[in-house]
Amino acid sequence: MKLAGLASAGMAGLAGCTGGDGNGGGGDGGNGGGSNQLEIVHWWTAGGEKEALDALLEGFQQRHGDVEINNNPAPGGAGSALDTVIKNRVLNENPPSTFQIWPGKALAPYTSSDVLEDVSDVWNDDMRNAYRESVQNAAQPAGTLVSVPINIHRLNNVFYNVSVLEQAGVDPSGLNDPQAMADALDAVATETDAAPLAHSTQDPWPTLQLWETEFIARNGVGAFDDFAAGNVQQHEGAIRESLQAVAGYREYFNGDAGSISWDQANTKIVEGDAAFIHQGDWAAGQYEASEGFEFESDWNYAPYPGTDGVYSMVMDSFVFPKNNPSPDATRKFLSYCGTADAQRRFNPVKGSIPPRTDVSGEEFGPFLTRQIEQFKASDSQPLTIAHGSAVTPEVKSNMEEAFAGFNENWNVDRAYEGINSAF
Ligand code: GAL
């Protein structure tokens, strides 16, 4: 197998390592057999996310009680820790049975290194007919189906604590553009003791996703897609302006932003210690898992001000690495992830909508029912940088470096330089 793609994606030290033909190692490359133990590596340990995975695994075990689950998380929001773990194991030809990965460009180093099995046979007619086309396309970035997506999250939301907004005299129905957002943050700061904008700067991705969403709010999806394709300098003014806006928000962050994770920041919304948070709707999974914290009466959300009609998609999927220790069990698991039963169990708890169009809406509750309606009514569904679908892992990691610096110094010039050299 060729490892160049993976090696160049931050694994230069292992560039000389060569593997077999994909049929060696502990497994038989997917033609059956292998261990009965399904090792699954993922990062879903936060509130709501853990419960969602448990619900999925429970459904799987009901159908395949013969498979033993080895649930082996690599915790860290947005895969901040998983990436390195997986690259090392794949390069060492000791991969888990399956691992979580965003479909789309995040798969590129794996497909160019030829370390993933073709899962076209898992994609039976039922799946092919039921999946939304854009999601199915993301599962085959190099033309061959290599992953099974299980959910669609929306990134461009702003969630809020209803009573904190009432106390601040902010009417959420007026949150229509970035200026309205800035005014609302100001009102919370003046009128309440709550942090206006809950945030985490422990890792770069929350600020990167805030910036990319602010960029779309100010400049639209066309400009964003053009930027994500690598046309940076044409958008210099727009990039700097949205960096400046994000730098302005930092005075509204909770004081401990630098030392807490995204879900700890989100807990501040649950506890009434913060008014707003910008997050993907995995944040709603955490609210749903919080006893006595109800949609509409206690928490609510709006599309990120200025992005009405946009549904920024964050998807997750599972793959079938070559040298697979448990080809039979892996195939069973991927097939299950593609079913309506799996997606009906997983998504309502996760805060995401299903990529299949035939999953019964009954269990989705009012929040996700609204998201599903907004997805259907949306004008555009851009992919994202912070969640790996819009750019290659190499570009994403360079962008993260720029935003790690920005989290420290909030220097627009330096951040722009970092962004400019990221592509
Ligand atoms: C995203 C992932 C979501 C959620 C989030 C926070 O990248 O797609 O499912 O886990 O990170 O960690």
Side-chain angles (χ1 to χ4, degrees):
M1 92 185 108
K2 292 176 284 143
L3 295 168
L6 273 186
S8 68
M11 301 302 299
L14 290 165
C17 162
T18 52
D21 60 3
N23 288 325
D28 68 358
N31 299 321
S35 157
N36 233 11
Q37 197 187 73
L38 181 87
E39 184 191 356
I40 162 168
V41 177
H42 60 91
W43 66 82
W44 290 325
T45 53
E49 307 205 299
K50 181 187 176 302
E51 286 81 354
L53 181 70
D54 288 348
L56 175 74
L57 295 179
E58 195 187 316
F60 175 67
Q61 293 268 258
Q62 278 176 17
R63 290 199 183 185
H64 300 287
D66 55 319
V67 176
E68 190 193 325
I69 306 271
N70 173 5
N71 184 347
N72 188 14
S80 42
L82 180 140
D83 209 36
T84 308
V85 170
I86 290 298
K87 271 182 205 147
N88 279 323
R89 290 191 57 180
V90 168
L91 288 173
N92 288 327
E93 298 179 24
N94 171 36
S97 308
T98 187
F99 60 90
Q100 175 192 354
I101 187 165
W102 303 298
K105 294 220 168 138
L107 289 165
Y110 294 91
T111 54
S112 66
S113 302
D114 196 22
V115 292
L116 297 179
E117 289 290 343
D118 174 347
V119 292
S120 306
D121 57 333
V122 169
W123 280 82
N124 58 21
D125 285 347
D126 166 61
M127 275 176 70
R128 287 173 200 250
N129 294 332
Y131 264 69
R132 297 177 203 280
E133 203 185 328
S134 55
V135 183
Q136 199 168 143
N137 288 340
Q140 46 185 342
T144 305
L145 285 157
V146 290
S147 87
V148 177
I150 185 157
N151 62 345
I152 305 172
H153 275 300
R154 186 186 200 177
L155 181 59
N156 56 311
N157 319 282
V158 61
F159 293 97
Y160 55 85
N161 179 301
V162 171
S163 52
V164 176
L165 256 61
E166 275 166 9
Q167 212 188 320
V170 171
D171 173 6
S173 68
L175 293 170
N176 297 322
D177 55 36
Q179 186 55 50
M181 186 68 204
D183 294 345
L185 294 172
D186 210 45
V188 176
T190 318
E191 302 298 330
T192 80
D193 292 333
L197 189 60
H199 196 63
S200 157
T201 56
Q202 199 180 43
D203 289 309
W205 65 270
T207 304
L208 171 54
Q209 69 177 17
L210 178 60
W211 172 77
E212 62 180 313
T213 306
E214 181 76 26
F215 183 96
I216 292 179
R218 290 169 178 268
N219 307 290
V221 170
F224 173 74
D225 284 345
D226 193 50
F227 162 78
N231 298 313
V232 180
Q233 281 158 23
Q234 293 87 321
H235 300 286
E236 179 172 352
I239 292 167
R240 285 175 175 276
E241 213 177 75
S242 12
L243 285 169
Q244 198 60 59
V246 171
Y249 291 150
R250 87 178 191 280
E251 72 172 281
Y252 300 116
F253 294 165
N254 38 294
D256 55 358
S259 59
I260 61 171
S261 58
W262 77 265
D263 49 313
Q264 289 172 317
N266 202 32
T267 301
K268 293 180 188 289
I269 301 293
V270 180
E271 292 181 349
D273 294 332
F276 291 102
I277 190 167
H278 164 251
Q279 267 302 349
D281 45 17
W282 43 86
Q286 188 179 344
Y287 306 148
E288 306 277 14
S290 305
E291 194 93 9
F293 193 60
E294 302 305 326
F295 179 50
E296 290 184 321
S297 51
D298 300 315
W299 66 274
N300 210 327
Y301 78 112
Y304 189 86
T307 67
D308 203 14
V310 176
Y311 208 101
S312 292
M313 295 206 293
V314 178
M315 296 165 278
D316 296 289
S317 70
F318 288 102
V319 288
F320 192 143
K322 288 189 173 175
N323 291 307
N324 205 285
S326 61
D328 267 0
T330 304
R331 190 171 304 281
K332 284 176 185 164
F333 181 68
L334 293 188
S335 299
Y336 179 66
C337 289
T339 63
D341 183 66
Q343 296 183 16
R344 175 185 62 77
R345 289 170 188 266
F346 179 77
N347 287 283
V349 191
K350 188 66 165 66
S352 44
I353 66 173
R356 287 182 70 116
T357 52
D358 61 347
V359 178
S360 142
E362 276 164 35
E363 293 181 42
F364 279 79
F367 166 66
L368 284 173
T369 302
R370 209 201 284 176
Q371 291 289 61
I372 292 171
E373 277 161 16
Q374 295 196 358
F375 180 88
K376 286 186 188 151
S378 60
D379 308 317
S380 57
Q381 303 88 30
L383 299 173
T384 93
I385 297 172
H387 301 277
S389 45
V391 295
T392 61
E394 196 182 346
V395 172
K396 179 181 91 83
S397 133
N398 295 339
M399 289 290 287
E400 282 175 345
E401 211 177 298
F403 278 84
F406 197 51
N407 272 343
E408 296 290 325
N409 55 37
W410 304 101
N411 182 310
V412 169
D413 290 334
R414 276 153 75 177
Y416 177 74
E417 282 319 312
I419 292 171
N420 192 25
S421 52
F423 286 83

